[in-house]
């Protein structure tokens, strides 16, 4: 388990506390359309933290080619049957020596609390996007996790509880999902990023923020800042 994170509930959990069985019964909620609208037709996409392929599936249906990466072998095993290339690796260690039209890192992975780890994630994005290509990131925005908060419908419910603001500016919270009578809880540790902080880290990784895809600034588009550096062998 990663520090400050953990998961409970039926089935296997990834090191970040995500429940494999929960993602297996979850489908896209508009993210695929947002991503599809921001990239060119038939793009090559490197998807970092693909989980069970909740978003991989609709991206393939839209005609894109996806290489799907996750550190959890249990997650990757759910994506392989889709016929895509899969890689079981932590994002920070990924070195494919190839570049893609699009590098997608969603699910608030950029909000990892540790600044050094966040830089490693962004460096991986920079190492794998082609000049002129896009890095798409999904970040937490202020107020995203207010407790007590409850949302959903008769089939699925998510409750945010036990929110704790920590001295280093990070935030811990418990997310409890109930889907058709099964319940999973995940303790997460995240850090909201000011625009200055985000911009500075993108620059350090060799990237440049080019636009926000949504008015709430949750979705970010970045590009290589200058010519592509030569990938180390
Ligand atoms: C919350 S799930 C979301 C999965 C998928 N993006 C989705 O939206 O359905 C996060 C996934 O990212 C993976 N993950 C988190 N941190 C990672 C890291 N540093 N390296 C590789 N995979 C990571 C987890 O194993 C998990 O499968």
């Amino acid at each position: 388990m990663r520090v400050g994170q953990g998961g409970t509930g039926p089935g296997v959990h990834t090191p970040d506390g995500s429940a494999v069985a929960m993602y297996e019964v979850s489908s896209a909620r508009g993210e695929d359309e947002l991503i599809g609208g921001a990239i060119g037709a038939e793009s090559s996409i490197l998807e970092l933290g693909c989980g069970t392929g909740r978003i991989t599936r609709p991206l393939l249906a839209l005609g894109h080619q996806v290489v799907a990466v996750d550190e959890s072998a249990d997650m990757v095993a759910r994506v392989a049957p889709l016929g895509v290339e899969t890689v079981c690796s932590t994002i920070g260690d990924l070195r494919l020596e190839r570049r893609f039209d699009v590098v997608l890192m969603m699910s608030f992975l950029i909000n990892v609390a540790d600044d050094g780890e966040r830089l490693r994630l962004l460096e991986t994005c920079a190492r794998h996007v082609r000049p002129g290509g896009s890095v798409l990131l999904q970040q937490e925005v202020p107020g995203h996790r207010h407790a007590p908060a409850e949302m959903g419908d008769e089939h699925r419910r998510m409750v945010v509880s036990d929110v704790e603001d920590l001295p280093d500016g990070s935030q811990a919270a418990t997310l409890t999902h109930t889907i058709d009578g099964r319940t999973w809880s995940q303790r997460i540790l995240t850090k909201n990023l000011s625009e200055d902080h985000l911009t500075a880290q993108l620059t350090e990784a060799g990237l440049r923020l080019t636009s926000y895809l949504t008015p709430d600034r949750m979705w970010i588009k970045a590009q290589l800042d200058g010519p592509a550096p030569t990938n180390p062998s």
Side-chain angles (χ1 to χ4, degrees):
M1 280 296 163
R2 293 183 180 282
V3 176
Q5 295 175 317
T8 61
V12 180
H13 293 78
T14 63
D16 77 346
S18 302
V20 175
M22 189 194 92
Y23 278 93
E24 272 187 309
V25 293
S26 301
S27 45
R29 291 185 294 276
E31 302 96 327
D32 50 329
E33 286 157 24
L34 183 99
I35 296 161
I39 65 179
E42 300 181 7
S43 290
S44 59
I45 302 176
L46 178 66
E47 186 188 3
L48 302 174
C50 60
T52 55
R54 186 178 71 88
I55 303 300
T56 320
R57 222 169 269 112
L59 290 177
L60 292 172
L62 287 169
H64 303 294
Q65 294 139 32
V66 183
V67 173
V69 178
D70 204 287
E71 67 182 346
S72 158
D74 292 291
M75 288 294 198
V76 163
R78 266 60 177 190
V79 181
L82 300 177
V84 298
E85 182 181 341
T86 57
V87 182
C88 188
S89 169
T90 59
I91 296 167
D93 292 329
L94 190 71
R95 278 163 182 76
L96 295 181
E97 314 301 344
R98 277 185 273 165
R99 291 184 179 273
F100 296 78
D101 298 327
V102 177
V103 177
L104 170 65
M105 189 173 73
M106 54 181 293
S107 306
F108 316 107
L109 298 188
I110 192 176
N111 293 103
V112 60
D114 183 80
D115 288 341
E117 176 61 11
R118 186 176 321 104
L119 180 60
R120 280 189 288 282
L121 301 183
L122 291 174
E123 286 171 342
T124 293
C125 296
R127 240 187 341 264
H128 293 92
V129 69
R130 69 163 171 78
S134 301
V135 174
L136 302 185
L137 305 165
Q138 184 188 25
Q139 69 166 342
E140 280 187 359
V141 292
H144 185 210
R145 306 215 190 270
H146 272 317
E150 197 168 325
M151 53 209 90
D153 54 32
E154 73 271 26
H155 296 295
R156 48 188 313 141
R157 215 159 54 91
M158 183 180 87
V159 178
V160 183
S161 63
D162 304 314
V163 175
E164 225 183 310
D165 288 311
L166 302 170
D168 67 349
S170 60
Q171 198 179 47
T174 300
L175 311 183
T176 303
H177 294 264
T178 301
I179 304 177
D180 292 329
R182 292 192 294 169
T183 296
W184 294 270
S185 269
Q186 184 178 11
R187 185 78 179 153
I188 58 161
L189 181 66
T190 57
K191 190 183 273 182
N192 281 0
L193 305 172
S194 68
E195 186 165 280
D196 283 352
H197 192 163
L198 171 68
T199 311
Q201 282 212 297
L202 285 170
T203 304
E204 203 177 340
L207 294 167
R208 175 172 51 88
L209 192 156
T210 52
S211 60
Y212 290 103
L213 301 182
T214 51
D216 64 2
R217 302 188 167 198
M218 184 179 279
W219 285 85
I220 299 158
K221 186 170 178 170
Q223 296 195 308
L224 276 179
D225 193 15
T230 311
N231 284 340
S233 55

